Amino acid sequence: MEVNDRIHGFCLKHKEYIHEVDSTAYTFEHEKSGARLFFLANDDDNKVFSISFRTPPVDDTGVAHIVEHSTLCGSRKYPLKEPFVELVKGSLNTFLNAMTYPDKTMYPVASRNDKDFQNLMDVYLDAVFYPDMRENPQVLMQEGWHYEIEKKEDPLAYSGVVYNEMKGALSSPDDLLESRIMHALYPETTYGHESGGDPEAIPDLTQEKFIAFHAKYYHPSNSYIYLYGAMDIEEKLRYLDEEYLSHFDRIPVPSKIDLQPAFSHLKRETVPYPVSEEEGTDEKTFLALSWTTGQSLDHKAMMGLEILEHALLRTPAAPLRKALIDAKLGRDVDSIFETDMLQPFFSIIVNNAEPERLDKFYHLTMTKLQQLAENGIDRELLEASINLMEFRLREADFGSAPKGLIYGIRIMKSWLYGGAPETYLRYEDLLQEMKDGLSGRYFESLVETYFLANPHRSLLAMVPDTQMAARREKEQQEKLAAKKAAMSDAEIEATIAATQALKARQPIPVLKLSDIRKESYPLPLEVRDLGGTKVLFSDVHTNGIAYLNLYFDASAVTEEELPYLYLLSELLGMVDTEKHTYAELANLRNLHTGGIASDVVVYTRNGEPDSLLPKLRVRAKALVKRLPELIALLQEILTESRFTDEKRIRELVEQEETSIELNLQRAANQIIVSRLAAYLSRAGRYADEGGLPFYPFLKAFEADFAGSLAKMQQVFKTLLPKLFNRNGLIVSVTLREEEYPAFAEAFGALQQSFSQDVFPAASFDWKVEPENEGLTSSSRVQYVGKGANFLRLGYRYTGSMAVLETLLRYDYFWTKIRVQGGAYGAFTGFNRNGFMYLGSYRDPNLLETLAVFDGTADYAAHFTASEREMDKFIIGTMSGVDTPLTPMMKGDAAATCYLRGITEADRQQRRAEILATRQEDIRALAPLIADCMKENVLCVFGNDEKIAAAKDAFGSIKPAL
């Protein structure tokens, strides 16, 4: 194909090879409909498709977000109630979702199977162009909002999936802060509106406005189609033209994103956010100084600002961060540099502050920026930040997300605004310009242009209000009561009837079980000995990067020492050493490595729920040629760290406190699962000690800092020799066989630096028993969890449990908790160690959800499915089992299996059991679930009033923090 060729209605406008992503890029335009298409051709079998639309909202009703949910609720070809769920259940997708941004909506899918990929494309295209939501008002009710009332005498309430999702999202202070920052910076443009939807405004969305939004924006003339991977592009172009695009004529779509006119001066604002009375208001204020920073089309400036953000605010050596911390304005400093929009913004944030510190924060920040611009920014600091960016760009490791998906999101930074789609895929020349900029004033000029001389800035204080939640709830109840009072009996009856289940519809195309590989994908692992240390070697092509994990045995750590073990994992690499200050250390780490981090991990042996295998894990990565520098840094951090700098340790303790506070709303689902595990096993209890129970330890540490520091230093004298010890040390390394000698040679010096003293294993006097906590907060939604250990109840783990997880998430729970209950979602897990849990996410209910969990056994006992339906659930399960792994993930998975005693035969057996699962296997799990539910082990995080109203369900009720 050459430029100006016409293929199946498409004209090829541009073609070029892009070295950075090893792909040939083709830019097409569909001549009849005006659709744009960008294709990245390469040999990656993990193919990606997405169709995106520019969707700028004009209010806070969340219409863009609700339309995103609703398009996937049935279409012309696939008139099911939930095609999205059917795809999750019955496809081999490696990614399947839809995302709403401030100015666009994206619908991406990915799969390694050609037939499956085609099915996914067809369902998504039919969904966006021909959705049932246009004719069926129940879709808006389910996905957006509706009045809810079950009995005539009940009060009227609001519910809906997006409504409850956003109640949860905007209960998180940092999410709310970002929304308020955008509102302050962009008062006259689409970016000033909450594209996800503000719960106070969502009920203003009418069916007419909902349909009009789709009609206005969901047209091929406003679309951006993206294809990535190994595929027959001519066949795909023919399909797109014949099945969809040729049915539309090109039209003008008024979706242009307007620029916010620049401010002439600083804009100041104070806004409230809700906290519970138990939390109090002391040092709970957020301070934010923000700027608009040009346009995303200027890729060079965006890269420069991203490097600046890291250098000035994101590393322990960051001078602006240090100045703000030293001034004691708050406990932690954060930043946002948002570039997924035409007019990006940059924010500097101080957490855990007080409102009266706002002016000092502003003047100190501006003064420090002025000094940096005038005196120059440390070149080694900038070089380290550039090096880290280069490492990450070249590594292109996005975890479980397909590479092609991330590239598809990245291209929208320019393509959506009229720029070339390939702009953000290139980086070689820009990286060289960044390095060249070190010899001049490039980075100082960025500070001057975008911060010092830029009047378009806002200064925001977001202050805690203990009465706000109650006040808001009272206003809503009064509004709903007035609405109900104005309704006739017939209208009330109609409202009750309108919430009933929707009728069932036609199925979507699915694969056959014969399309599924029967053998499990091997995890490369060879156990070697290196000078007496066990090495778990994974021979994987890593693009010249070495991935290294050190697993230090923590079994000698005592119960008293345990919180100090978790504290140590936070301090390592963040304090001074014998040779370097922590700032110098951070620069060296960023110059020579791709990162060094530590955490505490707790394993159980396969099938042994009472076993306990705690490790302090140190993770590191670097180019193979930089292994000597990496090993030298590890040796310095692990054997020469000094824990004497009172000021630095206080900062780190306060920052960890703040991190736990902010993560509480973000990750409440993880918290309830962690608490349930703590009720049920020693390993669960051990792991949970680094979660919520770690917070009071940190608070007590801070309250008597001098005494606590002395105690910590005393404990570390006995703790460090137990940990950094050759006895029990296991190392995993992932690289090519020919690169292994470089690792072996470098590792020797590190190995010799560890002691060989022998320490006895510690015993723990824990009473592992259910506490059944109700953890209260100012959240407007709940996270409800219930669990048990089925191995202890006499049952065994089988692969069929993985299929049951799929069934529960996307059938029983989806219907009962999401569709009928209005929660954002539900989750479940059955683990090899016997731990099973059921949970809900951003849930308006509590007791009702516990009742749904208790009904799970009955659902399983009466489960009925055709052979085709059963195959579909198995295929959906296998999509998670066969998610492509990055080189690092392969090495990590292989090491985890070894440490837990999970063999290749175990993995193959699980796979065979999944593929062989039939209806009777699901029914056979009903007694297990029934016995687990009878254990009545539960934990709920949520609204204090909601929890208080259900007090009889709990063993204890207390503030989450």
Side-chain angles (χ1 to χ4, degrees):
M1 291 184 293
E2 299 303 328
V3 172
N4 294 323
D5 282 358
R6 281 163 172 77
I7 308 129
H8 301 298
F10 287 88
C11 177
L12 180 58
K13 298 289 189 180
H14 185 72
K15 173 186 175 181
E16 65 175 306
Y17 175 72
I18 301 177
H19 164 74
E20 289 88 339
V21 294
D22 191 19
S23 303
T24 301
Y26 299 84
T27 305
F28 295 93
E29 183 178 285
H30 189 258
E31 294 184 305
K32 183 173 187 291
S33 70
R36 309 158 188 82
L37 188 146
F38 184 66
F39 171 48
L40 282 177
N42 50 58
D43 60 2
D44 193 341
D45 72 342
N46 197 6
K47 296 169 285 294
V48 178
F49 160 81
S50 78
I51 182 164
S52 305
F53 302 91
R54 204 155 51 192
T55 52
V58 295
D59 57 33
D60 294 330
T61 61
V63 59
H65 187 188
I66 296 169
V67 168
E68 173 234 299
H69 278 241
S70 301
T71 55
L72 297 170
C73 288
S75 67
R76 173 194 63 174
K77 281 189 191 178
Y78 309 110
L80 306 91
K81 180 181 169 188
E82 302 279 5
F84 176 78
V85 180
E86 296 303 308
L87 285 173
V88 174
K89 290 190 297 191
S91 85
L92 285 172
N93 74 83
T94 54
F95 188 87
L96 181 74
N97 212 333
M99 295 97 82
T100 303
Y101 289 81
D103 57 12
K104 63 182 174 287
T105 309
M106 301 186 70
Y107 295 87
V109 295
S111 180
R112 301 170 79 179
N113 181 286
D114 290 341
K115 182 179 173 186
D116 188 46
F117 183 66
Q118 185 63 40
N119 289 347
L120 293 168
M121 280 181 62
D122 198 53
V123 173
Y124 264 48
L125 284 162
D126 207 64
V128 297
F129 289 130
Y130 302 104
D132 280 356
M133 56 165 270
R134 298 182 299 187
E135 287 80 37
N136 185 353
Q138 288 183 318
V139 174
L140 171 59
M141 291 171 58
Q142 175 183 303
E143 296 301 320
W145 76 278
H146 60 269
Y147 290 116
E148 186 164 279
I149 184 168
E150 292 185 10
K151 299 191 292 290
K152 193 173 177 181
E153 61 272 20
D154 289 350
L156 202 62
Y158 292 127
S159 193
V161 173
V162 170
Y163 177 78
N164 288 313
E165 177 189 351
M166 295 310 296
K167 278 174 74 175
L170 296 183
S171 290
S172 175
D174 47 344
D175 284 349
L176 186 60
L177 177 65
E178 185 166 352
S179 180
R180 298 298 179 256
I181 287 169
M182 291 181 67
H183 185 268
L185 284 174
Y186 308 100
E188 300 169 50
T189 76
T190 190
Y191 296 133
H193 300 297
E194 176 51 68
S195 61
D198 186 323
E200 310 310 310
I202 287 173
D204 294 334
L205 180 61
T206 64
Q207 180 73 13
E208 292 72 27
K209 290 179 181 176
F210 174 61
I211 300 307
F213 190 90
H214 180 273
K216 182 176 182 179
Y217 294 125
Y218 281 63
H219 187 281
S221 297
N222 189 44
S223 71
Y224 300 78
I225 299 169
Y226 167 73
L227 288 163
Y228 166 94
M231 67 185 73
D232 181 344
I233 187 60
E234 292 202 24
E235 185 273 325
K236 291 289 182 273
L237 296 179
R238 181 196 58 74
Y239 154 76
L240 285 164
D241 174 61
E242 292 179 3
E243 291 293 321
Y244 292 98
L245 301 180
S246 64
H247 301 205
F248 294 87
D249 292 319
R250 185 189 295 258
I251 62 169
V253 178
S255 64
K256 180 175 178 289
I257 311 298
D258 292 323
L259 290 170
Q260 168 66 44
F263 296 168
S264 59
H265 58 276
L266 174 73
K267 180 178 179 179
R268 300 173 64 99
E269 197 171 344
T270 298
V271 296
Y273 79 98
V275 295
S276 65
E277 298 231 17
E278 292 90 348
E279 290 176 78
T281 59
D282 288 350
E283 295 200 322
K284 287 290 175 67
T285 293
F286 293 79
L287 310 178
L289 175 58
S290 311
W291 297 261
T292 59
T293 50
Q295 294 188 30
S296 64
L297 292 166
D298 188 345
H299 188 196
K300 180 180 177 181
M302 296 305 105
M303 182 181 279
L305 286 166
E306 190 175 345
I307 290 165
L308 263 185
E309 180 193 23
H310 185 265
L312 300 186
L313 291 155
R314 289 280 181 176
T315 164
L320 181 51
R321 174 187 174 84
K322 188 173 185 303
L324 293 169
I325 293 285
D326 287 351
K328 300 192 181 304
L329 294 168
R331 293 190 175 181
D332 200 6
V333 173
D334 202 354
S335 61
I336 302 171
F337 181 40
E338 180 54 70
T339 58
D340 280 308
M341 47 200 294
L342 173 62
Q343 213 170 352
F345 71 90
F346 192 112
S347 291
I348 300 168
I349 299 159
V350 173
N351 300 326
N352 296 86
E354 292 288 359
E356 58 269 20
R357 300 173 191 165
L358 188 64
D359 285 330
K360 184 178 179 184
F361 162 58
Y362 175 71
H363 292 301
L364 176 59
T365 302
M366 297 305 292
T367 300
K368 186 64 181 177
L369 288 169
Q370 185 73 48
Q371 289 171 355
L372 290 165
E374 289 176 358
N375 302 331
I377 303 165
D378 180 82
R379 263 34 200 170
E380 188 176 70
L381 173 66
L382 286 169
E383 186 183 353
S385 294
I386 293 169
N387 179 76
L388 191 61
M389 171 174 277
E390 180 173 5
F391 185 96
R392 289 174 179 164
L393 286 168
R394 295 194 190 287
E395 184 183 30
D397 184 343
F398 308 109
S400 60
K403 220 170 15 178
L405 169 74
I406 304 303
Y407 295 154
I409 293 171
R410 202 175 274 173
I411 64 174
M412 301 304 285
K413 294 172 187 274
S414 57
W415 198 22
L416 194 76
Y417 313 116
E422 61 272 14
T423 299
Y424 272 84
L425 300 177
R426 299 190 171 285
Y427 57 79
E428 294 283 7
D429 291 347
L430 284 183
L431 279 173
Q432 189 56 52
E433 289 187 53
M434 296 299 117
K435 293 171 184 176
D436 293 344
L438 293 172
S439 60
R441 294 192 70 259
Y442 176 67
F443 290 98
E444 288 77 9
S445 71
L446 288 178
V447 172
E448 290 166 349
T449 301
Y450 291 104
F451 303 138
L452 297 174
N454 179 5
H456 196 132
R457 60 182 83 150
S458 78
L459 183 61
L460 180 73
M462 193 169 83
V463 301
D465 183 341
T466 58
Q467 303 304 310
M468 183 177 174
R471 193 167 59 244
R472 186 170 54 190
E473 192 64 28
K474 181 171 181 286
E475 288 169 0
Q476 187 178 97
Q477 287 173 359
E478 289 172 351
K479 183 177 179 180
L480 286 165
K483 173 67 180 176
K484 186 184 177 188
M487 295 167 76
S488 66
D489 287 350
E491 286 173 324
I492 291 173
E493 291 298 334
T495 304
I496 293 170
T499 58
Q500 299 306 305
L502 304 178
K503 55 189 175 182
R505 321 229 185 133
Q506 175 190 329
I508 64 169
V510 294
L511 302 174
K512 299 183 178 71
L513 277 189
S514 57
D515 294 318
I516 308 289
R517 173 186 168 116
K518 299 294 183 288
E519 299 77 30
S520 62
Y521 287 93
L523 293 174
L525 184 75
E526 183 185 338
V527 181
R528 296 183 173 180
D529 180 271
L530 191 57
T533 296
K534 189 175 289 185
V535 175
L536 309 180
F537 168 57
S538 291
D539 182 359
V540 178
H541 178 63
T542 62
N543 230 8
I545 295 170
Y547 295 100
L548 182 64
N549 286 351
L550 306 178
Y551 297 92
F552 292 100
D553 183 12
S555 60
V557 176
T558 65
E559 188 174 343
E560 183 192 25
E561 292 168 336
L562 186 52
Y564 294 95
L565 171 63
Y566 280 100
L567 182 58
L568 176 67
S569 73
E570 299 297 331
L571 300 182
L572 282 174
M574 307 300 285
V575 296
D576 296 348
T577 65
E578 299 293 342
K579 297 189 185 78
H580 297 102
T581 67
Y582 69 85
E584 291 168 343
L585 197 65
N587 278 347
L588 290 170
R589 186 167 59 234
N590 293 334
L591 276 169
H592 298 305
T593 83
I596 298 172
S598 58
D599 60 353
V600 178
V601 289
V602 187
Y603 299 106
T604 54
R605 279 186 294 274
N606 185 21
E608 300 178 28
D610 296 320
S611 58
L612 176 63
L613 305 171
K615 309 282 184 187
L616 176 67
R617 177 175 62 179
V618 178
R619 301 168 65 84
K621 56 187 176 182
L623 294 172
V624 172
K625 64 185 180 183
R626 292 288 181 92
L627 271 169
E629 291 90 342
L630 172 65
I631 295 297
L633 281 171
L634 283 170
Q635 182 177 347
E636 183 177 344
I637 289 167
L638 299 179
T639 65
E640 298 178 23
S641 288
R642 300 172 58 190
F643 302 98
T644 54
D645 185 339
E646 294 185 22
K647 176 176 169 295
R648 179 61 178 160
I649 291 171
R650 184 190 289 272
E651 288 170 4
L652 292 169
V653 167
E654 290 178 348
Q655 286 166 25
E656 181 59 17
E657 273 184 65
T658 300
S659 174
I660 293 174
E661 290 168 0
L662 292 177
N663 277 329
L664 188 64
Q665 297 281 0
R666 287 186 202 141
N669 54 318
Q670 296 170 23
I671 286 167
I672 62 167
V673 170
S674 180
R675 295 300 295 153
L676 287 172
Y679 301 163
L680 294 165
S681 72
R682 292 192 309 144
R685 171 74 182 270
Y686 198 110
D688 188 57
E689 288 296 307
L692 274 188
F694 192 42
Y695 185 76
F697 170 81
L698 294 171
K699 294 292 283 185
F701 196 107
E702 185 193 5
D704 177 21
F705 186 80
S708 297
L709 181 64
K711 175 75 181 293
M712 181 198 81
Q713 291 165 344
Q714 179 186 348
V715 170
F716 277 10
K717 285 178 183 176
T718 58
L719 181 61
L720 296 177
K722 291 179 182 179
L723 291 168
F724 302 127
N725 191 302
R726 271 188 265 178
N727 293 305
L729 170 64
I730 297 174
V731 178
S732 78
V733 60
T734 304
L735 34 60
R736 296 314 308 259
E737 174 67 56
E738 58 267 28
E739 296 164 337
Y740 185 84
F743 157 72
E745 182 181 350
F747 181 70
L750 177 63
Q751 186 183 34
Q752 294 304 314
S753 67
F754 299 138
S755 95
Q756 289 184 288
D757 294 342
V758 178
F759 296 91
S763 60
F764 289 84
D765 228 4
W766 284 333
K767 282 182 70 177
V768 175
E769 59 186 10
E771 293 183 41
N772 290 5
E773 295 162 305
L775 303 170
T776 63
S777 77
S778 60
S779 173
R780 302 178 72 183
V781 287
Q782 281 62 246
Y783 298 77
V784 183
K786 196 165 185 183
N789 191 292
F790 58 82
L791 291 183
R792 286 218 188 82
L793 297 175
Y795 297 95
R796 71 175 187 88
Y797 177 81
T798 75
S800 296
M801 291 173 177
V803 182
L804 179 58
E805 288 179 19
T806 304
L807 280 165
L808 294 181
R809 280 192 197 125
Y810 299 112
D811 188 40
Y812 179 60
F813 288 170
W814 189 277
T815 301
K816 294 288 187 183
I817 294 175
R818 182 178 167 112
V819 175
Q820 295 176 5
Y824 184 57
F827 53 93
T828 181
F830 292 78
N831 297 341
R832 284 184 181 273
N833 62 9
F835 178 42
M836 69 87 74
Y837 55 87
L838 312 176
S840 70
Y841 190 82
R842 292 180 180 167
D843 189 347
N845 303 309
L846 196 165
L847 294 175
E848 299 88 341
T849 299
L850 288 171
V852 172
F853 293 159
D854 289 340
T856 304
D858 189 60
Y859 164 81
H862 296 94
F863 175 71
T864 303
S866 66
E867 290 294 304
R868 179 187 176 282
E869 281 290 304
M870 205 65 238
D871 287 354
K872 189 166 64 176
F873 287 122
I874 291 168
I875 291 165
T877 303
M878 291 306 299
S879 74
V881 174
D882 286 343
T883 299
L885 301 179
T886 64
M888 183 175 74
M889 291 164 70
K890 286 178 183 175
D892 285 354
T896 298
C897 285
Y898 176 84
L899 293 167
R900 293 198 57 206
I902 299 169
T903 65
E904 283 296 320
D906 292 330
R907 294 179 62 241
Q908 184 59 50
Q909 180 182 346
R910 176 178 184 259
R911 187 183 191 90
E913 288 172 347
I914 291 172
L915 292 172
T917 299
R918 294 290 98 189
Q919 174 181 289
E920 53 271 22
D921 297 301
I922 299 300
R923 291 183 174 183
L925 293 171
L928 177 154
I929 300 166
D931 286 348
C932 284
M933 291 299 96
K934 284 175 193 168
E935 295 290 290
N936 201 39
V937 179
L938 61 93
C939 181
V940 177
F941 168 88
N943 179 266
D944 45 9
E945 291 183 12
K946 195 84 173 179
I947 287 176
K951 63 181 185 300
D952 293 343
F954 300 104
S956 66
I957 294 176
K958 58 189 178 187
L961 292 179

